[in-house]
Amino acid sequence: MKSVKKLPLTDKCYHWTHLGEVPWDLQKYWQQRYTIFPYYDDGIYMTEDAWYGVTPEPVAINLVYDLVGFINPDKRTVIDMFAGVGGNAISLAMATEEDGYTPRFDKVIAIELDASTLACAQNNANIYGVADKITWVLGDSFKFVELLTKSPNQLGEDLRVDIATTAIFASPPWGGPGYRTDEIFDLSTMEPYNLAALHETYKIMDHALYLPRTSDLRQIAKLVPDGVKIDVVQYCVEGASKAMVAYIPAATEKPASEMPDHSMS
């Protein structure tokens, strides 16, 4: 598995400028385009599916701020496991130290399975001036982690990162409309990847999971040993909750009494 340079936009990449161009089921999302990407008019491109899952920029900025506060300063690499059209990867690449100038992360890796979606992400990151600060991967993020942990020599040299100094951000697809209507969303039914599969893959590193706003907190709490608390934050735009993010420390063999106590938010 290797990183990729700039991919060409395809006929599945769209920059709609008039409501009449937009499929009816996406029109409400397109009308929120300046919340999602304030620089939309500068040439932001999206695939149709991306409108359902893209993180609005105010949320992306805040969750990166929280991620930086959650992880240790020695975590200098971050991997965006589901890059989509780049909303979170852009904010990760733009994150700075307290001086406002020094990049917080030495390396940002953004992985996306669909070529058209990744082409949009690269285009959008270029608009924000950070395309060259992101290492782009076209492929399966689960396969990436498998290679990183078991066969790193099968990864390109620029992808062989130190697990001990790497954190994960994952905004997986949620699958189906259930999360919108369920009072409490069952994360074991999330498709195509449920909570257990995600955590099992990522638990060797500090990781943040971007989940439906009504996710079952009891299921999230069961991911960590007794005595360990995790941060779970609800993110809102204009007074409406959009999602929650669970910040989960890497698994450790230490007894609970020696493990860090992450307060619940």
Side-chain angles (χ1 to χ4, degrees), residues 9-250:
L9 294 170
T10 73
D11 58 3
K12 295 181 180 179
C13 303
Y14 304 97
H15 175 78
W16 293 311
T17 59
H18 302 288
L19 185 62
E21 300 175 286
V22 185
W24 68 270
D25 55 333
L26 297 178
Q27 290 183 359
K28 69 175 183 179
Y29 299 102
W30 182 80
Q31 290 172 333
Q32 301 170 28
R33 61 196 181 281
Y34 298 122
T35 298
I36 297 172
F37 278 114
Y39 292 108
Y40 181 85
D41 288 345
D42 289 1
I44 294 292
Y45 273 77
M46 305 271 281
T47 61
E48 290 191 11
D49 288 346
W51 286 100
Y52 294 109
V54 63
T55 304
E57 185 171 305
V59 173
I61 291 172
N62 278 282
L63 67 83
V64 168
Y65 177 85
D66 289 337
L67 175 65
V68 168
F70 165 71
I71 62 177
N72 292 328
D74 64 350
K75 305 292 183 179
R76 304 302 304 178
T77 297
V78 63
I79 306 172
D80 183 353
M81 291 294 181
F82 301 92
V85 293
N88 296 305
I90 290 169
S91 289
L92 289 166
M94 296 180 70
T96 62
E97 302 284 7
E98 292 184 0
D99 61 13
Y101 298 99
T102 307
R104 171 59 183 82
F105 297 106
D106 297 333
K107 182 181 285 289
V108 176
I109 298 174
I111 306 173
E112 171 56 44
L113 189 59
D114 179 70
S116 295
T117 305
L118 187 62
C120 291
Q122 291 176 324
N123 171 82
N124 300 340
N126 187 59
I127 290 172
Y128 281 79
V130 294
D132 293 338
K133 298 180 180 180
I134 300 171
T135 302
W136 305 97
V137 179
L138 177 62
D140 186 327
S141 61
F142 289 89
K143 182 64 174 179
F144 177 89
V145 176
E146 180 184 351
L147 293 176
L148 181 62
T149 54
K150 298 179 180 180
S151 304
N153 61 324
Q154 295 185 34
L155 293 172
E157 187 173 351
D158 58 345
L159 300 178
R160 299 173 200 168
V161 298
D162 179 6
I163 290 174
T165 59
T166 299
I168 285 174
F169 175 81
S171 176
W174 296 339
Y179 73 90
R180 300 175 186 167
T181 56
D182 290 359
E183 183 176 349
I184 299 178
F185 181 67
D186 183 354
L187 291 165
S188 69
T189 66
M190 191 165 63
E191 298 177 350
Y193 317 109
N194 64 23
L195 179 66
L198 294 166
H199 177 64
E200 183 63 26
T201 300
Y202 305 149
K203 66 181 182 181
I204 59 173
M205 291 173 268
D206 290 350
H207 55 286
L209 300 178
Y210 188 91
L211 301 168
R213 64 185 183 276
T214 58
S215 296
D216 191 334
L217 292 175
R218 295 167 297 183
Q219 293 176 316
I220 298 172
K222 289 179 180 178
L223 298 177
V224 296
D226 291 342
V228 176
K229 295 181 181 180
I230 59 177
D231 294 317
V232 178
V233 183
Q234 286 276 356
Y235 291 91
C236 302
V237 175
E238 297 179 354
S241 177
K242 294 297 183 182
M244 69 167 61
V245 176
Y247 298 91
I248 304 173

